[in-house]
Amino acid sequence: MTEHRPGQSRDVERFDRWADTYDRHWMQRVIFEPVQRTVLDLAEAEVARPRAVLDVGCGTGRLLISAAARFPGAELVGVDAAPQMVQQARASAADRSSIRFQLAGAEELPFPDGRFDLVFSTLTFHHWSDQAKAVAEVARVLAPGGRWLLADFLATGLMRYIRLLPRLKRFPERESLGAMLAPAGLRVVSERTVRGLHGQVTVLAIRSAD
């Protein structure tokens, strides 16, 4: 059973309450859809034919449902720490045998080493209560030469100071993110800025060691 820390528990409770209406929220069209398109475009450019894909913090499963069209034949797995999100995802993908969802947090991924060619995390990194531990877990489950597609608000410029506010402090800076990646054997190999969001969201393609 995944252990939830106090801050993470509040996030889980909030997303559980949100699960029923999540797919109808205005942020799907304005924020999530542009981010997910950019993630899939970059993922396809980096790993054209993945065998297995993991979405960490999958929500209601929209990204993996879209990924099924991009990566036919790939095994698609989503995990989320919010039980109601997992339930909604399973219902949404009930007719798709290539996709499965299960309850798990980023800090304890229930998969063997080197299992996935692609790992996605879209606007979820700032919710991870132990980011360094979760980075190490992503590195562990990535196949040699695999890619982690990390999309989030990166603290640059003024955001470096705004992020010090208690509710925003988990948004990463490039320097602090790099300090977490290096010990796990990960490095950024390419990136794209999500269009239409004023350059606030960046998608990083992070490579595992060969």
Side-chain angles (χ1 to χ4, degrees):
M1 182 175 180
T2 302
E3 176 186 357
H4 298 306
R5 295 171 176 83
Q8 187 183 36
S9 294
R10 288 192 294 272
D11 279 345
V12 168
E13 291 167 2
R14 179 162 57 89
F15 280 104
D16 268 341
R17 291 194 300 270
W18 196 6
D20 286 344
T21 59
Y22 187 76
D23 285 346
R24 300 192 299 274
H25 199 279
W26 62 267
M27 287 197 298
Q28 292 291 346
R29 178 178 56 82
V30 175
I31 299 177
F32 298 145
E33 289 179 7
V35 171
Q36 291 178 0
R37 280 197 301 271
T38 306
V39 165
L40 290 175
D41 287 346
L42 186 53
E44 197 169 23
E46 292 288 332
V47 183
R49 295 180 179 84
R51 295 165 299 169
V53 179
L54 173 66
D55 187 9
V56 181
C58 63
T60 56
R62 292 168 68 97
L63 178 57
L64 286 183
I65 290 171
S66 296
R70 300 275 192 128
F71 306 117
E75 176 191 10
L76 304 170
V77 182
V79 297
D80 202 284
Q84 293 304 312
M85 285 290 189
V86 173
Q87 181 175 320
Q88 288 289 330
R90 287 171 175 166
S92 296
D95 61 340
R96 298 171 183 268
S97 60
S98 64
I99 309 177
R100 64 183 177 88
F101 300 96
Q102 64 188 86
L103 187 66
E107 295 83 1
E108 296 179 23
L109 297 173
F111 307 107
D113 297 357
R115 171 75 179 280
F116 298 99
D117 305 296
L118 283 173
V119 174
F120 300 148
S121 59
T122 57
L123 302 178
T124 61
F125 184 87
H126 63 274
H127 291 294
W128 298 354
S129 59
D130 189 335
Q131 292 173 334
K133 183 178 180 181
V135 167
E137 276 291 273
V138 170
R140 182 183 65 77
V141 302
L142 264 178
R147 299 292 193 277
W148 171 22
L149 278 294
L150 165 62
D152 217 318
F153 295 89
L154 293 182
T156 58
L158 182 61
M159 271 296 293
R160 298 181 67 180
Y161 303 98
I162 294 175
R163 75 183 287 274
L164 298 177
L165 295 171
R167 293 185 64 185
L168 297 178
K169 64 183 179 181
R170 288 184 290 176
F171 286 105
E173 291 184 80
R174 289 298 291 263
E175 293 82 0
S176 61
L177 178 61
M180 285 185 265
L181 296 178
L186 300 173
R187 61 186 175 90
V188 176
V189 292
S190 63
E191 64 182 80
R192 291 187 187 178
T193 300
V194 179
R195 292 184 179 181
L197 297 179
H198 306 288
Q200 296 299 306
V201 178
T202 300
V203 180
L204 303 176
I206 299 168
R207 181 186 176 102
S208 69
D210 292 327

